[in-house]
Amino acid sequence: MSEPVSALQDASHDGIVAVREDGLQGMITLRGDLSAAAVGSAIKDVAGLAVPEGGRISGDRTGGLCWMSPDELLLLCPHEDADANVERLQQGVKDTHSLVVNVSDARALFRVSGPAAREVMAKLCPVDFSPDAFTPGMFRRTRMAQVPAALWMSDDGTFHIICFRSVAEYVFGLLKVASQPGSEVGAF
Amino acid sequence: MSKRLSTGGRLIDRSRRIGFSFNGKPLAGHPGDTLASALLANDQMMVGRSFKYHRPRGIVASGVEEPNALVNMGEGKRFEPNQRATTTELFDGLTARSQNHWPSLDFDIGGINKHLSRLLPAGFYYKMFMYPRAFWKSVYEPFIRQSAGLGQAPTERDADSYEHFYAFADVLVIGGGVAGLLAARHAADTGARVLVLEQTAHWGGRSPVDGGTVDGSPVAQFIDETVSALEQMPNVTLRRRCMGAGVYDHGYVLGYERLTDHLPYAQGPRHRLWRIRAKQIVTATGAIERPLSFAGNDIPGVMLASAMRDYAVDYAVSPGERVVVATNNDDGYRTAICLRNAGVNVLRVLDARSAGGGALMDDARALGIRVDPGRGIAKVGGGKRVQSVQICAQDGVGGALEALKCDAVAMSGGWSPVVHLWSHCGGKLLWDEAQAHFRPDPEHPPLGADGNGFVRAAGASNGALALCDTLADATEAGKAAAKAAGFRRRNTRAPVGEAVSERPLEAVWLMPQQADVGLRSKSWLDFQNDVKVSDVQLAAREGFESVEHTKRYTTLGMATDQGKLSNINGLAVLSDALGQPIPATGTTTFRPPYTPISMGAIAGEARDEVFQPIRRTPIHDWHDAHGADWEPVGQWRRPYAFRRGSESAHDAVIREVRNTREAVGLLDASTLGKLIVKGPDAGRFLDMLYTNMMSTLKPGRCRYGLMCNENGFLMDDGVVARIDEDTFLCHTTTGGAEHIHAHMEEWLQTEWWDWQVYVANVTEQHAQIGVVGPMARKLLDKIGGMDLSAEALPFMAWADGRIGGFDARVYRISFSGELSYEIAVPASQGLAFWKLLISAGAEFGIMPYGTEALHVMRAEKGFIMIGDETDGTVIPQDLGLDWAISGKKEDYIGKRAQARSHMADPDRWKLVGLETTDGSVLPDGAYAVGEGVNANGQKVTQGRVTSTYYSPTLDRGIAMGLVLHGPDRMGEEITFPCTDGKTYSARIVDPVFYDKDGEKQNV
Amino acid sequence: MLILTCPYCGVAADETELACGGEAHLTRHGPGSSDDAFHGYLFSRKNPRGLHVERWRHVQGCGKWFHAARDTVTLQVFGTYPAQSHEPPEDIVRAIRRRHPEWTWKGAA
Ligand SMILES: [Zn+2]
């Protein structure tokens, strides 16, 4: 057994925002009937949280639930806890049609922070990131330039972005270009 | 001569001088100048030559409509052709060169074309270059290529960066003149989120030059106050140097922001493309003055009257010392008055209207300017500069009444609203007879997703040319747009402008009205493309009745200015020639962008490192450090081969194949797709998806499967492992994971939505490494942790366990024919596991191998490759894969299609092996020919090569191909005449070249 | 560049987040079907000028397939609804009829 490593090993870049690869993150996909009692209680048992409403996230990186689709949640937890949590979730939902799988290593997580964070994101995603339209607690799956991404804000100046591990370098490159000095937009 | 006036200049900073160069000549201007105003201030009236006849051309306009003043800007990595001098803000060190001439602007050999102009009429190229056909390639094309095209193409990489920005607005206002600002103000007052785009560096549009009052104060003051108020509003975003380039479906708008064109050494992106979604749009894009069509109207020194006004007021530049004004409307008098007040000698106003103008004419006369009503220009004299005009009666044939020496001519043919953005997405136009222009038809706006209009025109772009009309129109447009965007209308008041009593315009499409052919063939409509009144008339005589056809035949309006000055005049001439009213002729289609935008802005961030996503496996960097030649496979990069030292890629492949067959090789197979399919109906679902039976697969076992689309064609293949009763793991090809995942979801969501199956794509969760070769088991035993003996893990089985301390899932599957284990470990530990195998494998002679060795080995074994043996028209039966098609199943995707008559046709080409008779390697894609010729006189084909390699194992060329009746023709020789000039002869053989009984993989 | 609202996640999705799948409400014809029926199912897809009921997938989003009723000429959108339906829901039929009074679902009254 060796130390697991994230895609870019915590690479960082400072431009008009701070861009960080946020290291290893536990992520578990759960597919099932989100309104089923067994699913709700298994989730509650493992994550300590209720199933979030559509388009929202509850909790945070250390323990969170992201609404991915009407029959899919993404559970966030410490990377080292993911396998154990998969087991517990599987046990909890074993009598109902469902799929629980560890996807921690299939993904990379980035953090974009600073007063210009909304602007930098708005250069890459076809999403309204104005303060009235996008607020902490919302969870959005979209595209970031040419690849799929999922994102949320933990506070007004901080975005967290999930992408596939294989394109981590591409996403990091996008964020570097979008945060180049002198590229402030001043639109929000 | 044109020169800088001693006082004035609203936009320039006279306290500072900045240097620039034109055609290598050092010149000076002031901050705030445009390149055009600075050139005029230096008496550089002539700025280029026309496209076809290479006639001398000067600056005509002061804005985006400029057809002539196009320059090659900058040098080296910042060189860009076709930049308009009128919209280029001057900066220190700017370098510009004129275009379309050789060897110099003043002396141009191509100018000889102008003497041939009678031989180069409309449609010349179509008529002249048609025959003989053989001349096209050797004579015509080289000639056209040499003389065609504006400016030069850049030769170096662009030094600048570009970006996109996604913006959302309730009300988008395009245009920051008085109408746009006022509309924005009234929309913003409702609380709507408002975005305002202004293409120039300044707010206010024309109104500070044209003057007038708003609520009793000068209009310039009103603009300053309105901008200040808007800047204070949190719901308003104002952008200058940002052009509304195009309006598209559902309120999508492109804005083109030029950030550093005027600050070339500033940090940050040069251009930003705004990708805007607006609920409602107000186009306040103003109007453009029309030229008058008289002979010699293209000679440098003839300018739009409004442009002369702009140069005088904004930049304190006088276009000449002795000016004649020709007009058909009262606005021309504003130029006469403005120039006179600036101290310029205005010799005459020629008013084509027999009764002359209104109050402004009286003002001009009061200043001592002579006004001649009912007069026009018969002809302008001069070559590289206006020298004189011949005055004639407007209603005559052009007999000269008087000649006047002068050095500049101002022309005003009335104003055309800028309806481009209104029209881009389907807004219709009305012909306004009184103002002789097209304007937006409010009854037929562009329609949005809700079926209602989403664009409103305001101010001059709506035909409200007078300031007092604009104020009322724009106020209402702003309010109405906000209301349509869902905001409550506020009871705000429109400001009041002073009314000026103007005499109506009289349309003048030709000056003089009965001009003879000599004059008409010197009366330019399209300055950039050299289209004259006579050309359009000729087109009409030759039967080009549609305006779209005439446009293409004459090239009217097809230049980089897209006919901003020429279109209305041209279609009026066409209508006249066809004897029909102008609205019956209609306009050509307005297409975005409004003015050309940079390729960089369109690409945005997508260049260099982030031109496109490149997918990397967890082991990518190791490969890179160990000599990998890369092969793109979809968006993935896979090592093609690992070259050692000076070794060629070909030699590396040979070495890798031999080493894998004789010792042990290591393959990064992480890119193979991995889909988990789970649920009570998973087996049933996979039985529909694959041609073979998957539901009978036992947990712990693997099975190779084929997947077809509903057309019956083979789309993917891979090994399926059954994890437990409810769960399967399906491997797909590299690059197949996403679309096979999508294929599964599509059937589950849209056809069998009552089936209980969930799918998850876990491709990237694992690094998957192939340990391949006779020493593979020894290596894994050395690392230890799992019993991988033939008994514990037989061929086509899988097991979970720990190897060398890594959590692993081991598949005993082989794509090479050797003893082979594919081992999946968490991606976060993939590189560490790879390194462990490399170091522990040293004693066994381990070497990594790339995709080419993989391909060679699979071909030696006769295994098909999706994309080589398949091309979207091949069914499994063509490939001899009938053994992988279940006969027991009632249905699978593609089964019905494979029963169609031509799918069951015995004449379909079938897979065979091919062995060249001399051992050489067949060219890829080569066709085998048969007897006779087809209906086109081509040789009949009877097969083609689908995969071909040099086999190091057999030391000869081997290939696979699809051949007519191939499996029934074993041993027969067929010939392949190839594009390399050689003809290859190959024997039809079994496609399995190596270890036909599969003993090596099953040990 | 259309905007369609995904009925699953409520996102007003940009066309670049969506993928179009052609005519909606097809009936699959498998083994045993006549050549004509199969040919019609496989190849004869509607692409009308005017009212069209189409399949779309929120591919850069929740990944779900949905149907959209829209006018291919005016680009008016009458509504979107889940793909797990056999015909357009009543409220969408009503919205269509307000603009196209003569329109009926597959010729039904
Ligand atoms: Zn969705």
Side-chain angles (χ1 to χ4, degrees):
Chain A
M1 190 72 180
S2 71
E3 273 308 297
V5 292
S6 64
L8 302 183
Q9 298 175 47
D10 305 355
S12 67
H13 174 82
D14 287 306
I16 63 172
V17 293
V19 180
R20 302 270 178 279
E21 197 227 7
D22 239 351
L24 290 163
Q25 173 66 46
M27 299 186 210
I28 297 164
T29 288
L30 180 141
R31 294 199 61 183
D33 177 357
L34 302 186
S35 62
V39 172
S41 63
I43 285 286
K44 184 95 192 165
D45 177 44
V46 174
L49 296 163
V51 173
E53 284 173 49
R56 297 196 66 83
I57 176 173
S58 46
D60 57 28
R61 277 191 64 187
T62 58
L65 285 174
C66 315
W67 190 93
M68 299 289 279
S69 87
D71 58 7
E72 182 176 343
L73 292 178
L74 186 71
L75 185 143
L76 304 177
C77 65
H79 187 264
E80 61 273 18
D81 296 347
D83 281 331
N85 282 337
V86 166
E87 294 274 324
R88 287 172 62 197
L89 271 175
Q90 277 174 338
Q91 275 305 310
V93 297
K94 68 179 182 335
D95 295 329
T96 174
H97 170 45
S98 59
L99 169 59
V100 180
V101 61
N102 183 356
V103 293
S104 312
D105 285 4
R107 313 280 170 81
L109 181 68
F110 289 92
R111 182 198 307 209
V112 171
S113 51
R118 288 178 183 276
E119 287 185 3
V120 167
M121 296 306 297
K123 295 177 186 183
L124 301 169
C125 307
V127 174
D128 189 350
F129 284 124
S130 61
D132 291 341
F134 198 84
T135 51
M138 293 171 96
F139 187 84
R140 179 70 142 88
R141 297 177 73 182
T142 181
R143 72 177 168 84
M144 208 160 154
Q146 301 172 58
V147 295
L151 48 90
W152 79 95
M153 295 179 90
S154 52
D155 61 56
D156 199 46
T158 310
F159 279 87
H160 303 266
I161 304 149
I162 300 170
C163 68
F164 283 110
R165 183 183 178 109
S166 65
V167 294
E169 200 155 319
Y170 171 76
V171 167
F172 188 55
L174 289 176
L175 291 168
K176 279 200 282 192
V177 174
S179 62
Q180 66 171 302
S183 71
E184 296 88 348
V185 181
F188 297 133
Chain B
M1 61 184 285
S2 61
K3 63 173 189 187
R4 185 85 67 185
L5 298 163
S6 57
T7 58
R10 189 175 70 93
L11 301 179
I12 56 168
D13 174 4
R14 284 181 175 272
S15 68
R16 286 174 52 214
R17 290 170 70 80
I18 52 178
F20 69 103
S21 81
F22 181 69
N23 287 341
K25 190 164 74 178
L27 300 169
H30 295 297
D33 261 325
T34 63
L35 175 57
S37 69
L39 287 169
L40 288 172
N42 286 278
D43 194 29
Q44 185 70 51
M45 177 59 84
M46 179 178 160
V47 290
R49 285 180 179 267
S50 65
F51 185 60
K52 190 164 158 189
Y53 304 134
H54 289 222
R55 281 173 67 93
R57 287 291 158 75
I59 295 162
V60 174
S62 56
V64 296
E65 67 274 30
E66 173 61 37
N68 292 339
L70 301 182
V71 297
N72 289 321
M73 275 279 292
E75 281 167 352
K77 293 177 190 299
R78 290 201 160 83
F79 173 84
E80 199 167 23
N82 298 326
Q83 298 303 292
R84 281 182 309 278
T86 50
T87 58
T88 299
E89 294 176 56
L90 196 70
F91 57 84
D92 199 23
L94 179 153
T95 60
R97 292 184 173 274
S98 52
Q99 304 183 161
N100 273 7
H101 54 74
W102 185 85
S104 75
L105 179 58
D106 277 327
F107 176 73
D108 170 61
I109 287 176
I112 202 159
N113 279 5
K114 76 186 174 203
H115 302 298
L116 302 175
S117 68
R118 279 176 51 210
L119 305 175
L120 296 169
F124 168 75
Y125 290 93
Y126 298 109
K127 290 165 180 162
M128 177 64 203
F129 296 127
M130 200 84 87
Y131 301 103
R133 251 175 108 166
F135 269 39
W136 179 252
K137 211 175 170 89
S138 56
V139 181
Y140 298 150
E141 190 181 326
F143 171 77
I144 291 174
R145 279 195 187 283
Q146 193 195 354
S147 49
L150 290 162
Q152 294 162 334
T155 56
E156 293 185 40
R157 288 177 68 83
D158 187 341
D160 287 302
S161 66
Y162 301 84
E163 68 183 24
H164 291 175
F165 188 73
Y166 294 90
F168 295 77
D170 296 315
V171 177
L172 170 69
V173 178
I174 302 174
V178 67
L181 293 170
L182 196 53
R185 177 70 203 262
H186 284 278
D189 277 343
T190 67
R193 186 155 46 135
V194 177
L195 173 60
V196 188
L197 309 183
E198 164 54 39
Q199 64 184 355
T200 72
H202 307 283
W203 299 110
R206 293 205 52 78
S207 52
V209 172
D210 292 351
T213 63
V214 179
D215 286 343
S217 305
V219 65
Q221 184 187 328
F222 172 75
I223 287 161
D224 290 345
E225 287 166 5
T226 307
V227 170
S228 302
L230 289 169
E231 281 170 343
Q232 298 304 312
M233 299 177 81
N235 55 328
V236 175
T237 303
L238 299 173
R239 306 304 291 196
R240 289 174 301 146
R241 300 186 178 95
C242 189
M243 175 185 75
V247 173
Y248 305 83
D249 307 334
H250 288 190
Y252 183 63
V253 176
L254 288 184
Y256 174 60
E257 188 174 28
R258 301 200 293 159
L259 296 161
T260 65
D261 278 353
H262 63 299
L263 304 163
Y265 302 105
Q267 277 189 319
R270 177 177 173 225
H271 297 155
R272 178 181 292 133
L273 192 71
W274 287 63
R275 303 178 65 169
I276 304 161
R277 286 287 184 180
K279 288 185 187 149
Q280 291 288 315
I281 298 167
V282 176
T283 58
T285 45
I288 291 177
E289 195 170 21
R290 293 189 293 264
L292 288 166
S293 301
F294 49 79
N297 62 350
D298 68 327
I299 293 171
V302 180
M303 293 175 75
L304 293 175
S306 58
M308 275 199 194
R309 214 148 76 216
D310 290 339
Y311 288 116
V313 174
D314 287 343
Y315 310 104
V317 167
S318 160
E321 292 172 329
R322 296 161 59 81
V323 180
V324 171
V325 178
T327 187
N328 68 342
N329 68 91
D330 275 16
D331 198 54
Y333 289 97
R334 288 198 174 91
T335 296
I337 292 165
C338 163
L339 293 176
R340 180 71 190 80
N341 287 338
V344 178
N345 189 1
V346 179
L347 299 177
R348 197 78 58 91
V349 176
L350 304 172
D351 192 328
R353 299 168 293 184
S354 52
L360 287 163
M361 179 179 74
D362 300 337
D363 292 350
R365 281 185 164 146
L367 287 167
I369 300 169
R370 177 172 160 186
V371 176
D372 286 1
R375 295 285 184 265
I377 294 175
K379 190 177 181 181
V380 178
K384 292 173 189 164
R385 188 67 209 243
V386 170
Q387 290 174 345
S388 64
V389 295
Q390 288 180 14
I391 297 170
C392 64
Q394 168 58 20
D395 58 6
V397 295
L401 302 172
E402 183 186 357
L404 263 184
K405 288 225 172 300
C406 62
D407 60 0
V409 175
M411 55 182 171
S412 179
W415 290 79
S416 295
V418 174
V419 295
H420 300 62
L421 288 131
W422 167 271
S423 304
H424 283 165
C425 196
K428 299 283 184 288
L429 301 175
L430 285 174
W431 177 251
D432 183 325
E433 192 68 42
Q435 303 195 93
H437 61 211
F438 283 105
R439 62 177 166 83
D441 177 356
E443 298 298 311
H444 295 99
L447 300 178
D450 60 358
N452 298 317
F454 69 93
V455 182
R456 276 171 186 73
S461 71
N462 200 26
L465 297 177
L467 178 61
C468 56
D469 298 335
T470 280
L471 297 175
D473 190 54
T475 300
E476 181 52 31
K479 289 181 176 187
K483 180 164 186 285
F487 293 83
R488 258 190 59 196
R489 222 179 138 93
R490 295 265 311 267
N491 199 14
T492 43
R493 178 189 75 84
V496 179
E498 72 185 313
V500 179
S501 153
E502 292 195 13
R503 200 177 189 99
L505 155 153
E506 280 176 23
V508 171
W509 307 120
L510 186 56
M511 181 174 271
Q513 205 173 354
Q514 316 287 333
D516 64 30
V517 67
L519 296 177
R520 294 201 305 271
S521 60
K522 290 280 181 249
S523 300
W524 261 258
L525 290 167
D526 186 317
F527 296 101
Q528 197 180 116
N529 269 1
D530 271 330
V531 181
K532 299 155 294 175
V533 169
S534 56
D535 292 323
V536 172
Q537 291 171 330
L538 175 66
R541 282 203 305 280
E542 293 186 351
F544 289 89
E545 295 177 4
S546 150
V547 63
E548 297 283 5
H549 291 160
T550 302
K551 167 178 169 172
R552 282 150 186 86
Y553 190 59
T554 62
T555 73
L556 176 85
M558 287 172 67
T560 61
D561 61 331
Q562 291 285 288
K564 289 186 177 62
L565 295 185
S566 61
N567 275 350
I568 299 296
N569 286 349
L571 66 92
V573 170
L574 179 65
S575 302
D576 180 60
L578 296 171
Q580 67 188 20
I582 288 171
T585 304
T587 66
T588 53
T589 308
F590 294 90
R591 292 195 179 86
Y594 175 56
T595 69
I597 66 176
S598 63
M599 298 299 286
I602 295 168
E605 82 295 329
R607 59 178 295 185
D608 302 325
E609 299 295 304
V610 293
F611 170 63
Q612 61 171 13
I614 289 176
R615 300 179 70 181
R616 293 166 166 87
T617 76
I619 312 165
H620 184 98
D621 290 345
W622 190 96
H623 302 326
D624 212 26
H626 290 80
D629 274 1
W630 294 103
E631 178 179 24
V633 187
Q635 289 178 329
W636 290 101
R637 287 290 179 279
R638 300 191 72 183
Y640 173 89
F642 295 86
R643 287 198 286 137
R644 292 185 169 181
S646 58
E647 188 181 42
S648 71
H650 180 72
D651 290 343
V653 171
I654 292 171
R655 174 179 51 72
E656 290 169 11
V657 170
R658 288 197 177 130
N659 188 71
T660 305
R661 293 250 184 259
E662 289 159 17
V664 60
L666 209 53
L667 176 77
D668 182 358
S670 307
T671 57
L672 292 184
K674 303 160 204 83
L675 304 173
I676 292 182
V677 179
K678 179 172 185 282
D681 294 312
R684 176 188 181 197
F685 176 60
L686 293 185
D687 281 348
M688 287 302 291
L689 230 67
Y690 287 92
T691 60
N692 29 2
M693 194 77 92
M694 288 298 173
S695 54
T696 55
L697 185 63
K698 300 276 179 287
R701 301 292 300 181
C702 301
R703 183 170 290 165
Y704 173 73
L706 304 174
M707 219 182 274
C708 295
N709 56 25
E710 193 71 313
N711 287 281
F713 300 124
L714 191 51
M715 64 189 286
D716 208 76
D717 68 348
V719 170
V720 177
R722 190 163 198 163
I723 308 301
D724 59 35
E725 192 53 35
D726 268 4
T727 313
F728 295 80
L729 188 138
C730 302
H731 287 103
T732 74
T733 54
T734 295
E738 283 68 34
H739 85 260
I740 298 301
H741 183 205
H743 177 69
M744 291 180 175
E745 284 291 343
E746 181 174 355
W747 285 98
L748 286 171
Q749 290 180 36
T750 68
E751 187 66 26
W752 302 310
W753 66 73
D754 51 335
W755 294 14
Q756 292 199 313
V757 182
Y758 286 123
V759 182
N761 182 355
V762 295
T763 301
E764 297 194 24
Q765 173 66 18
H766 309 282
Q768 194 146 317
I769 297 169
V771 183
V772 182
M775 309 297 274
R777 189 178 285 134
K778 283 204 177 89
L779 165 58
L780 295 173
D781 283 346
K782 173 185 169 186
I783 295 169
M786 277 176 82
D787 182 356
L788 298 175
S789 64
E791 298 71 35
L793 190 66
F795 187 53
M796 296 305 272
W798 65 270
D800 281 340
R802 284 173 72 80
I803 299 182
F806 290 82
D807 289 327
R809 176 169 287 166
V810 184
Y811 304 90
R812 219 18 250 264
I813 53 181
S814 179
F815 198 43
S816 58
E818 301 298 331
L819 172 65
S820 167
Y821 297 88
E822 283 197 15
I823 304 170
V825 299
S828 60
Q829 295 169 61
L831 177 61
F833 185 59
W834 175 274
K835 285 179 172 171
L836 172 67
L837 290 166
I838 289 283
S839 62
E843 66 175 280
F844 305 105
I846 198 163
M847 290 179 192
Y849 68 93
T851 51
E852 188 65 3
L854 162 97
H855 282 185
V856 171
M857 289 190 281
R858 68 92 191 168
E860 289 174 343
K861 278 294 291 174
F863 293 142
I864 63 135
M865 176 69 80
I866 298 292
D868 283 336
E869 275 62 48
T870 69
D871 63 358
T873 69
V874 171
I875 58 176
Q877 292 86 341
D878 297 338
L879 301 178
L881 294 169
D882 306 71
W883 59 269
I885 303 170
S886 167
K888 292 185 206 144
K889 293 196 297 191
E890 268 178 37
D891 194 5
Y892 59 82
I893 295 168
K895 183 177 170 81
R896 174 64 184 85
Q898 288 163 4
R900 300 175 77 218
S901 57
H902 69 282
M903 297 290 211
D905 185 345
D907 288 345
R908 287 181 73 86
W909 293 357
K910 305 249 177 187
L911 190 77
V912 291
L914 295 165
E915 242 179 32
T916 47
T917 49
D918 61 358
S920 61
V921 179
L922 275 168
D924 204 0
Y927 273 81
V929 295
E931 294 296 316
V933 294
N934 67 15
N936 294 324
Q938 300 156 324
K939 281 183 181 168
V940 164
T941 57
Q942 58 168 337
R944 67 182 164 86
V945 174
T946 56
S947 294
T948 175
Y949 303 96
Y950 168 72
S951 161
T953 313
L954 305 171
D955 187 26
R956 59 169 298 117
I958 61 167
M960 282 191 267
L962 293 163
V963 174
L964 179 69
H965 304 147
D968 304 329
R969 296 167 68 184
M970 288 296 153
E972 195 178 316
E973 280 177 26
I974 53 176
T975 56
F976 295 82
C978 290
T979 51
D980 60 7
K982 296 183 201 152
T983 295
Y984 295 77
S985 182
R987 201 167 13 255
I988 298 174
V989 296
D990 187 285
V992 184
F993 291 92
Y994 174 75
D995 187 25
K996 288 188 199 296
D997 299 327
E999 288 167 353
K1000 290 188 175 285
Q1001 66 195 14
N1002 200 9
V1003 293
Chain C
M1 285 283 278
L2 308 181
I3 295 180
L4 297 172
T5 299
C6 172
Y8 290 100
C9 61
V11 165
D14 191 270
E15 194 173 323
T16 60
E17 296 174 288
L18 303 168
C20 184
E23 184 186 348
H25 300 296
L26 295 176
T27 301
R28 181 170 185 262
H29 290 260
S33 59
S34 72
D35 279 355
D36 280 353
F38 185 68
H39 183 276
Y41 154 63
L42 201 56
F43 301 118
S44 303
R45 300 288 164 88
K46 282 199 194 115
N47 184 23
R49 178 185 164 83
L51 201 282
H52 195 20
V53 184
E54 255 176 348
R55 299 165 358 113
W56 287 84
R57 186 179 186 216
H58 192 188
V59 62
Q60 301 279 17
C62 70
K64 296 302 181 198
W65 282 93
F66 63 89
H67 294 340
R70 68 182 187 100
D71 189 314
T72 60
V73 177
T74 66
L75 305 184
Q76 181 172 357
V77 178
F78 299 97
T80 58
Y81 55 100
Q84 294 80 47
S85 337
H86 293 287
E87 59 183 40
E90 267 180 40
D91 59 325
I92 289 176
V93 171
R94 275 197 300 275
I96 294 169
R97 288 224 182 119
R98 276 195 288 276
R99 186 70 66 166
H100 299 275
E102 74 294 350
W103 184 82
T104 56
W105 171 240
K106 297 228 164 158

